[in-house]
Amino acid sequence: MNDANRGLLSAPLTFNWTLSYRCNFSCSHCYSREEQAEELPTGDLLAIVDILADKKVPFINFGGGEPLIRDDLFTVAVHAAEKGLNVSMNSNGWLVDRQAAERLKASGFKSVGISIDSAEAALHDDFRCMPGSWLRAVAALDNLRAAGLRTTMSSVISRINYRNFRDLLQLAREHGVHTVYLHNFKCSGRGFKNREELDLTPEEWKAFYLEALAVKNETDDLVISFDDPVIASLPGYDADPLVKGSSCGKLSLHLRPNGDITPCGFIPLVVGNILKQDFDDIWYNSPVLQKMRNKQAKGKCAGCSAYEDCLGGCTARAFAVTGDFSQPDPHCWK
């Protein structure tokens, strides 16, 4: 192993897998709604599971698009669970009726996440561009709980909810949710087009995270999770992450519907194809992954006292806005 890969795991802990970019929603912030890729047949999906199991990847998380658009999701999940992988997914909830929830449980899913972006139905429906979606999403949480599945809730923080995130936490409590993910706003796809309307300023992000971290530290009935390395410099943030900076390309990778691998869903740079190339060669030798793992401080990051903790913040966001992995995260308030 060369020095650039020192300390690197032999495979990612998680593959975030998009089986299809098709979706029954058209959300204002979606990174993938305008993406297109050929979809693989079921047999190829099962072959991918075999590769991931052989490489001892412990977790698969299905996203999209909407995972339930493909009925063979259940077949793939069963095969993955039989191979010893931990299977989860994120859904908009529209298709998670009682029967679907029971099938998900029977197929070996460990947990299912439902996206809810406001405790107010009208705000959520408007953000998701789908009337009635809030009611269906909340019903999905109840259906999953009735089926005996662990549930999580994913909320993208934006102008519609950053002042009222406590209401989202209360909604989660009322419906038996285990973990709430307060996701940072990404600037990819439609998120880039609508960022002036929906994204916060760096100062607003700082204020939000200070408040949210205080709430997290006094909350013991819910797990509150953030996925934003830019918060590493704040007081009250005492997490001990497995890696510093962005985890994409280090602890996780993304699979497109045609088997192409990208560093994450928000970075549309193909580093190889899992069915056509040797995975170890991609993982260890991809120039793109190497560059992401060995960022060089640029701009205001150079000389910043927080850099060794945040490593420039979210790589995907920096790349979306500047085209350069090593530029500072545009959300950074320092």
Side-chain angles (χ1 to χ4, degrees), residues 58-75:
F59 300 98
I60 294 175
N61 183 68
F62 294 106
E66 167 55 44
L68 285 162
I69 289 283
R70 284 194 63 145
D71 193 58
D72 57 0
L73 168 71
F74 302 101
T75 302

Side-chain angles (χ1 to χ4, degrees), residues 1-15:
M1 181 183 302
N2 61 39
D3 288 342
N5 288 323
R6 193 167 302 281
L8 183 67
L9 299 175
S10 60
L13 295 179
T14 302
F15 254 96

Side-chain angles (χ1 to χ4, degrees), residues 230-307:
V230 81
I231 68 177
S233 64
L234 289 177
Y237 181 73
D238 57 0
D240 186 20
L242 289 173
V243 296
K244 293 184 176 182
S246 288
S247 62
C248 51
K250 304 172 189 173
L251 301 180
S252 61
L253 289 175
H254 171 250
L255 264 173
R256 290 164 55 90
N258 61 357
D260 283 345
I261 300 171
T262 66
C264 80
F266 303 103
I267 299 178
L269 296 178
V270 175
V271 299
N273 187 287
I274 196 166
L275 291 174
K276 298 175 182 176
Q277 293 164 256
D278 177 68
F279 177 75
D280 287 345
D281 185 45
I282 297 170
W283 179 242
Y284 289 115
N285 301 321
S286 160
V288 170
L289 297 181
Q290 294 273 9
K291 196 168 185 179
M292 290 180 62
R293 294 164 185 160
N294 299 280
K295 291 165 66 174
Q296 304 297 314
K298 292 184 178 180
K300 66 179 181 178
C301 289
C304 176
S305 60
Y307 184 78

Side-chain angles (χ1 to χ4, degrees), residues 60-286:
I60 294 175
N61 183 68
F62 294 106
E66 167 55 44
L68 285 162
I69 289 283
R70 284 194 63 145
D71 193 58
D72 57 0
L73 168 71
F74 302 101
T75 302
V76 178
V78 167
H79 187 58
E82 288 175 347
K83 288 282 187 175
L85 288 100
N86 297 278
V87 185
S88 62
M89 81 169 201
N90 290 93
S91 170
N92 59 39
W94 188 272
L95 299 173
V96 186
D97 57 16
R98 290 294 292 268
Q99 181 182 12
E102 290 166 1
R103 285 188 75 188
L104 290 166
K105 174 68 173 177
S107 299
F109 277 86
K110 298 288 189 183
S111 70
V112 175
I114 300 298
S115 294
I116 300 180
D117 297 301
S118 176
E120 297 181 40
L123 271 178
H124 172 90
D125 290 1
D126 184 61
F127 190 63
R128 296 270 161 182
C129 304
M130 177 62 82
S133 59
W134 187 89
L135 285 173
R136 296 279 281 255
V138 170
L141 291 175
D142 294 337
N143 292 334
L144 292 163
R145 181 167 57 162
L149 262 169
R150 178 179 177 274
T151 56
T152 65
M153 197 167 96
S154 291
S155 304
V156 176
I157 298 302
S158 72
R159 292 220 158 271
I160 75 163
N161 59 19
Y162 79 107
R163 296 184 189 278
N164 308 108
F165 72 92
R166 286 179 174 84
D167 296 340
L168 285 163
L169 303 181
Q170 186 55 35
L171 181 68
R173 291 184 179 98
E174 292 168 0
H175 294 275
V177 170
H178 178 274
T179 300
V180 177
Y181 293 96
L182 299 179
H183 292 293
N184 61 89
F185 187 89
K186 299 294 196 302
C187 301
S188 303
R190 290 189 173 176
F192 184 84
K193 291 182 178 180
N194 296 319
R195 62 187 289 247
E196 289 191 13
E197 176 186 351
L198 295 172
D199 202 1
L200 312 186
T201 67
E203 292 73 23
E204 286 169 332
W205 278 112
K206 180 181 181 180
F208 164 75
Y209 278 129
L210 285 170
E211 185 179 356
L213 283 168
V215 171
K216 173 184 169 68
N217 291 336
E218 64 191 28
T219 299
D220 54 16
D221 61 335
L222 273 177
V223 177
I224 302 172
S225 182
F226 309 102
D227 60 352
D228 196 347
V230 81
I231 68 177
S233 64
L234 289 177
Y237 181 73
D238 57 0
D240 186 20
L242 289 173
V243 296
K244 293 184 176 182
S246 288
S247 62
C248 51
K250 304 172 189 173
L251 301 180
S252 61
L253 289 175
H254 171 250
L255 264 173
R256 290 164 55 90
N258 61 357
D260 283 345
I261 300 171
T262 66
C264 80
F266 303 103
I267 299 178
L269 296 178
V270 175
V271 299
N273 187 287
I274 196 166
L275 291 174
K276 298 175 182 176
Q277 293 164 256
D278 177 68
F279 177 75
D280 287 345
D281 185 45
I282 297 170
W283 179 242
Y284 289 115
N285 301 321
S286 160

